[in-house]
Amino acid sequence: MTTSLTSRFPTPAPGELVAQLVPPPRFQQARLDNYIPDPDYPSQEAAKQSLQQFASRLTAQPSSSRGGLLSMFGRKKGPAAAHGLYLDGGFGVGKTHLLTALFHIAPGRPLYGTFVEYTNLIGVLGFTRAVEEFSTASVLCIDEFELDDVGDTLLMTRMIRELSDRGVPVVATSNTLPDALGEGRFAAQDFLREIQAMADRFDVLRIDGLDYREKDRIDDPPQLADDQVRSGARGDRVSLDDFEPLAEHLREVHPSRYGAMIDGIERCHIVGMEQVSEHNRGLRLVVLIDRLYDREVPVALSGVRVPELFTEDLLNSGYRKKYLRCLSRLGALQADGARALV
């Protein structure tokens, strides 16, 4: 029987959230060996080599270096501050592939999550307990790093500094250089010292290139009618929702739980997609599409065309890169959904 996402209110326990700090299904097989750099963009090969060298240093590092060394006075000496990597580039150039490839070859206990998953977990565990939990990691991988508000800025910059001071390197991906985080969304200049202190913990790898998803996309996916989307929604693992109730439901579920909300869904059907003109609604939709994309869930849509989903005001705002990434990913998922029904 078809299910509805609006009927799902997941409440994972803190332990479950920590256990879920692993790469999503789409990237379970991502390795450096199967990352194929575009020869037209040498920065891709350079980034691949840098990740390999970084992983080699992690493997060669003695385990004792993270726990502290005995000094000549018999006291424990803390590890040197760790220096991480920051993968900067446009969407679709393989940053997440490289990040998850690092996770798979890192020694010890690597952790992987999106920015929103980490911030939520800190909220659930409390800052001190979260830092203690993360400090046992061999490397902390943060995908889709972005600072959308002042609170997140202070939280994440402090966490990165504390983990770095404990010898835990952080590797992050983003569409924005670390010293430009927050631009266009809040008064970043008021927090420049905090942002710069965080940026100093990274070596930046710029990755250029084209969106690889464009290669496999249907140029103009069939525009499905409402009845096609509804009639195609058959099966226990298929969801069917009208867009407006779904958009309202996303207000009631914390974005960090969107992944749990769609667990077990193999195809998502949404009827009556409407253009989005308000940031809060738009950003919640961005997170939902990210989680659907992570889990390789095709999406069958009716209503507004994907390129027209967000208004020009949203696309020209400080969140522009997030919205463009969402359109890229949703276009790929829509193509998969259209193939399933047409």
Side-chain angles (χ1 to χ4, degrees):
M1 182 177 180
T2 302
T3 188
S4 168
L5 297 183
T6 58
S7 66
R8 296 183 166 201
F9 291 89
T11 55
E16 293 178 277
L17 293 173
V18 174
Q20 291 169 6
L21 292 178
V22 296
R26 180 177 291 273
F27 297 100
Q28 283 295 328
Q29 303 305 316
R31 300 293 187 275
L32 290 178
D33 288 346
N34 56 31
Y35 176 78
I36 310 300
D38 187 331
D40 292 333
Y41 298 93
S43 59
Q44 295 187 13
E45 175 64 33
K48 178 178 178 179
Q49 295 301 320
S50 294
L51 263 294
Q52 182 64 69
Q53 294 165 11
F54 186 87
S56 297
R57 290 196 297 271
L58 286 178
T59 302
Q61 183 177 1
S63 59
S64 61
S65 66
R66 258 183 270 279
L69 300 174
L70 290 177
S71 72
M72 66 177 67
F73 301 106
R75 296 191 300 268
K76 285 187 176 180
K77 180 181 179 181
H83 214 63
L85 294 178
Y86 193 98
L87 311 183
D88 170 65
F91 44 86
V93 298
K95 300 187 303 296
T96 300
H97 184 123
L98 290 170
L99 184 66
T100 52
L102 173 65
F103 174 94
H104 289 305
I105 60 176
R109 179 183 178 243
L111 295 178
Y112 173 97
T114 63
F115 178 83
V116 70
E117 287 170 333
Y118 282 115
T119 53
N120 176 71
L121 192 50
I122 293 172
V124 172
L125 297 178
F127 185 84
T128 300
R129 181 181 168 192
V131 169
E132 290 297 326
E133 183 74 39
F134 300 156
S135 67
T136 64
S138 56
V139 60
L140 195 78
C141 301
I142 306 178
D143 200 20
E144 303 162 14
F145 197 108
E146 190 52 276
L147 302 180
D148 292 339
D149 58 44
V150 173
D152 284 346
T153 300
L154 299 177
L155 186 71
M156 294 302 287
T157 56
R158 180 185 170 195
M159 184 189 80
I160 287 173
R161 289 198 307 270
E162 293 208 14
L163 290 177
S164 176
D165 288 343
R166 294 181 183 216
V168 180
V170 175
V171 180
T173 73
S174 181
N175 298 317
T176 307
L177 288 168
D179 58 1
L181 289 165
E183 284 185 356
R185 293 178 287 287
F186 59 88
Q189 64 274 14
D190 294 340
F191 300 89
L192 185 60
R193 183 171 60 184
E194 286 81 2
I195 293 172
Q196 190 60 53
M198 180 193 69
D200 289 344
R201 307 300 175 105
F202 292 110
D203 290 327
V204 177
L205 300 179
R206 174 68 191 182
I207 307 176
D208 301 301
L210 302 176
D211 183 356
Y212 77 91
R213 286 180 287 267
E214 293 289 346
K215 299 176 183 178
D216 300 321
R217 183 173 304 164
I218 299 175
D219 290 338
D220 189 14
Q223 194 67 15
L224 302 176
D226 289 357
D227 59 346
Q228 288 178 287
V229 176
R230 292 187 188 280
S231 63
R234 302 191 192 95
D236 294 340
R237 296 182 176 272
V238 176
S239 67
L240 173 62
D241 291 275
D242 287 286
F243 176 71
E244 185 60 30
L246 176 60
E248 288 300 304
H249 181 64
L250 296 181
R251 296 175 57 187
E252 306 299 322
V253 179
H254 192 279
S256 68
R257 297 176 178 178
Y258 289 1
M261 185 176 68
I262 62 174
D263 278 348
I265 298 297
E266 295 181 352
R267 194 169 68 243
C268 176
H269 290 228
I270 304 175
V271 176
M273 292 284 288
E274 299 175 1
Q275 190 173 55
V276 177
S277 60
E278 191 262 330
H279 277 305
N280 288 332
R281 174 172 286 201
L283 294 173
R284 287 190 291 265
L285 190 59
V286 166
V287 177
L288 177 65
I289 298 307
D290 282 343
R291 300 294 79 79
L292 289 166
Y293 183 80
D294 286 344
R295 287 160 174 75
E296 302 181 287
V297 179
V299 180
L301 306 172
S302 66
V304 68
R305 296 177 61 250
V306 169
E308 300 167 359
L309 179 58
F310 302 115
T311 63
E312 287 299 317
D313 284 347
L314 266 58
L315 291 177
N316 291 326
S317 72
Y319 298 104
R320 172 180 173 80
K321 292 179 180 179
K322 282 193 173 190
Y323 293 132
L324 291 177
R325 183 188 75 226
C326 177
L327 295 179
S328 171
R329 290 182 166 185
L330 181 56
L333 296 179
Q334 182 201 22
D336 293 339
R339 290 187 186 102
L341 296 187
V342 176

